[in-house]
Each structure stands twice: as C-alpha cells, then as structure tokens.
Amino acid sequence: MQTELIKIDPDNVDLGKIRQAGDIIKSGALVAFPTETVYGLGANGLDADAVARIFVAKGRPSDNPLILHISKLEQLYPLVSEITETAKLLMEKFFPGPLTLVFKKSKIVPLITTGGMDTVAIRMPSNPIARALIDSAGVPIAAPSANLSGKPSPTTAEHVFQDMDGRIDMIIDGGPSDVGLESTVVDTTTNPITLLRPGKVTLDDLRSVVGAVSLHTVVRKGSSEEMVEARSPGMKYRHYAPNAKVILIEGQYNAVNLKIVELIEKYRGVGCKVGVITTDESSEFDVDVTKCVGRDASAFGRNIFRVLRELDDEGVDIILSEGLEDIGLGLAVMNRLRKAASEIIVV
Ligand code: TXA
Ligand code: MG
C-alpha cells in the first residue's frame, strides 16, 4: 500500500485536503492525524471492518480497546447508554481537550472497538485538524496512538511515517504535538470516578471539579508492574518501549546524577553504547549521547517520546533517565517512563 503524506497548517486548515482525508475514513480505510496529545491512527469507529484494520496496522492485541473521537457533543449521545452528573461536569470543564471519558456503551458501538467490553472511551480533541477531520468524516473516529504496538507514541508525522509507511492510506502532518503525552483517561462508570491513565488534565484538575477521584493501581507510584487484571486493558502491555534498555533513576537530584555517573562507568566499561536523558541543559556526562528534555514537566512530557525514539535511532544499548516528582503533570510523565523502563533504581 502506498502511504500518502500531506501537510496541513493547523492555523489555516485546508478543507479540500481534509475532505480527501475524510473520504478515506468514510471508505473504511486508515488516516493518521495530529491531535494536541499525540498523533492518532483513525478509522470509522462504527465500522467493524475498518476498526479491524487499525489492529492489523499497529500489531495491537485485540482486547485493547480504542478511543472514539468526536467533534460535537451531539455525537456522544448515540454512543453511550448512561451519562452521570459527574461526567457532565467533566465534559463541561475539559471538552474539547486532552481528557478521555469512559461510559457504558450503547448497542451501535461494535465490540471490536471496545475490545469486547461493555464500556466505551470517548474524547473530543481540541486540535483544529482533528476536529475538521471528524466533521468531514461524519462519524466518530476510533484512534489509538499511531505507533506500532509497543513503540513510543508518535509526536510528529515523521514518527508516524517511520512506523506506518506502507501500512495505512494517509498521514496528515500538522506539526509537532503540543502535549506530547496521551490523554488522561477517566472511568465515569465508577463512584467515585477512577483515574485510569494520568495526562495533561491532572489529578488536581479532576479533583477541583468533581471532588473524589480514585486511582487505579497503575497510577499509584511505582506499581506499574503490579497491573495484571486491568480495567483499562491497554495498561497491562509493556508500552513505550524503545529497543534500548531503559534504566530510570529516581530520587534526590544530586544523588540521581551521582548514580548516573556510576552507571555510565559500569555500562561503558562492558562496551555498551550509553545515552542519558537529563533535565539539565548544562549537564555534561562522559557518554555517547545526552538528550535534554527540560526541567519542567510540560517540557519533559512534550519531549520524552521523541527523545526515546532518537536514542533508538542512534543505536544506544542503554538509556539512563532522570525522573520527576509524581506531582501535577509529573505523574503522567513518570507513568510513561516507568512503563518504558526495564529497571527502576531509587536512590
Ligand atoms: O491522547 C490520546 O488518548 C491518543 C490520541 C490519538 O487521542 N490516543 C491514545 O489511544 O492514546 P491508545 O489506544 O493508545 O490508548 C487508549 C487507552 C488505552 O490504555 C485503553 O486501554 C484505554 O484508553 N481505553 C480505551 N477504551 C477503554 C474502556 N472502554 N475502558 C477502559 N479503558 C479504555
Ligand atoms: Mg497507545
């Protein structure tokens, strides 16, 4: 299959190009598109055959459910069988944006879309290209992150091209993602609501609107490995894993840096090519590659998936990464890093 790569300016959306992409979705084929979180791999979410193509293109396990993307609230009602008061509050406050809500599903949503579950995840993105595409397709668009299953989520069209060239019909290049981390996922069918995946809409943001929020075990610090029986099936698979072995070093800043120096010596001593992910631009490690992601959680989050891919491209064997505190957006960054890590060292 020939994959067409087209560029669209998010500040001046070319509706002719969007119509072309919307027609591909309507025909049951696949289009990757930008959102404010990461790039998505879209298909008509109500067409079981089209959704099946997503699982094939990504190599994704079939019990891992997809998010349906809508551009208007009217599109939500036919997809769900119940909307709680809490869900209404969250939608008022955070739609459109980087928040996904899980509802009880209606009959029109195919089971393949929801990984066999009786719930459905729904998000209204704010990215103008994503919204125009959904409008043009005229259907809810099922879209996981547009990476091969197990790879870091794509935050540029080039990342999508690396993973999906020859597997899908079209990639829309709308520039780098703003947030760089996938949306916050919240289950509104439980009381209180449950945070299933942390993201740009933080725990404090949620609490300020609805009061109580329970944390799924994967969201609690250091417990990513415990997840077996998952409410969000996506969480049980090893994610975001680059080819290199990632070692995450958490703790107080100076102690972390000392540990990194010690580990560099150890791994270079046995002939490994080593890369370091640091928050400090002026850090100078005696190492093959150093990538700075920035000190604040927004910058770290925006850059981390790109940096993991770049370190793989450089062919490093070991990636040593600094961590962040589990507060605010740091919770989301650390959730992704812990999933990518083969080893976590706390100093
Ligand atoms: O930011 C995002 O959410 C991006 C963009 C493209 O919108 N999409 C994304 O999709 O990250 P994906 O498929 O990579 O992650 C969806 C997550 C998975 O962890 C999945 O298990 C969970 O949402 N999920 C989907 N439907 C669910 C449901 N019915 N119940 C619980 N979790 C669900
Ligand atoms: Mg994903």
Side-chain angles (χ1 to χ4, degrees):
M1 181 187 305
Q2 184 83 21
T3 302
E4 193 181 351
L5 184 58
I6 64 167
K7 248 191 174 45
I8 297 183
D9 178 357
D11 297 322
N12 182 19
V13 177
D14 180 333
L15 292 177
K17 289 182 181 167
I18 288 287
R19 199 168 314 121
Q20 204 191 331
D23 287 346
I24 295 177
I25 299 275
K26 281 184 199 164
S27 79
L30 306 183
V31 176
F33 61 98
T35 84
E36 66 276 23
T37 55
V38 299
Y39 274 71
L41 177 55
N44 178 352
L46 301 182
D47 174 345
D49 294 335
V51 171
R53 291 188 186 103
I54 292 181
F55 286 93
V56 173
K58 277 184 66 91
R60 178 170 171 122
S62 62
D63 64 346
N64 192 355
L66 306 176
I67 298 170
L68 287 181
H69 295 68
I70 58 173
S71 55
K72 297 187 188 71
L73 219 45
E74 301 99 82
Q75 287 180 296
L76 174 89
Y77 306 116
L79 305 175
V80 305
S81 62
E82 191 187 341
I83 304 175
T84 62
E85 288 307 312
T86 315
K88 282 183 199 156
L89 287 174
L90 291 170
M91 289 193 282
E92 262 166 43
K93 178 79 180 170
F94 300 113
F95 276 18
L99 176 67
T100 296
L101 297 179
V102 173
F103 299 87
K104 292 217 172 86
K105 85 174 196 69
S106 74
K107 289 211 174 70
I108 69 164
V109 181
L111 281 171
I112 187 171
T113 302
T114 65
M117 298 205 291
D118 59 1
T119 53
V120 60
I122 298 184
R123 166 159 123 79
M124 187 192 288
S126 60
N127 180 291
I129 297 171
R131 297 172 67 81
L133 178 63
I134 301 163
D135 283 342
S136 166
V139 290
I141 296 186
S145 49
N147 51 285
L148 284 174
S149 198
K151 290 279 165 204
S153 292
T155 57
T156 65
E158 291 75 57
H159 298 162
V160 179
F161 192 78
Q162 280 171 11
D163 284 11
M164 292 296 157
D165 183 27
R167 293 172 168 262
I168 65 176
D169 293 81
M170 180 182 272
I171 300 170
I172 302 176
D173 182 352
S177 311
D178 293 336
V179 178
L181 299 172
E182 309 86 345
S183 61
T184 306
V185 181
V186 166
D187 188 348
T188 71
T189 69
T190 60
N191 186 14
I193 59 167
T194 309
L195 177 60
L196 299 178
R197 180 173 74 182
K200 170 80 174 168
V201 173
T202 65
L203 192 53
D204 284 342
D205 293 336
L206 296 169
R207 285 188 173 136
S208 71
V209 176
V210 304
V213 179
S214 358
L215 297 192
H216 193 276
T217 38
V218 280
V219 179
R220 292 193 206 122
K221 191 177 174 194
S223 59
S224 359
E225 301 310 317
E226 290 168 19
M227 261 289 310
V228 186
E229 174 262 336
R231 186 164 340 170
S232 191
M235 301 189 297
K236 72 175 177 245
Y237 300 105
R238 185 159 178 252
H239 263 74
Y240 319 113
N243 298 320
K245 172 178 164 153
V246 178
I247 304 177
L248 173 62
I249 302 105
E250 296 186 41
Q252 195 266 333
Y253 185 74
N254 290 329
V256 167
N257 277 287
L258 282 175
K259 190 69 184 179
I260 288 178
V261 170
E262 181 193 317
L263 291 172
I264 289 171
E265 213 165 290
K266 170 177 162 187
Y267 284 105
R268 295 197 86 189
V270 294
C272 290
K273 184 168 180 181
V274 179
V276 170
I277 298 176
T278 172
T279 58
D280 184 356
E281 211 167 350
S282 63
S283 284
E284 280 181 26
F285 294 105
D286 179 19
V287 76
D288 299 287
V289 206
T290 303
K291 298 277 180 189
C292 178
V293 283
R295 201 182 287 282
D296 69 283
S298 309
F300 202 129
R302 193 174 320 111
N303 292 322
I304 185 64
F305 286 143
R306 172 179 58 79
V307 159
L308 287 173
R309 278 181 185 258
E310 285 172 3
L311 287 166
D312 259 349
D313 293 345
E314 304 245 13
V316 303
D317 305 301
I318 302 282
I319 298 172
L320 305 172
S321 181
E322 246 183 73
L324 285 176
E325 268 192 274
D326 280 283
I327 48 170
L329 186 56
L331 186 67
V333 173
M334 292 312 289
N335 168 269
R336 308 309 191 272
L337 267 179
R338 289 182 187 127
K339 283 183 179 181
S342 320
E343 193 179 334
I344 299 173
I345 299 175
V346 181
V347 291

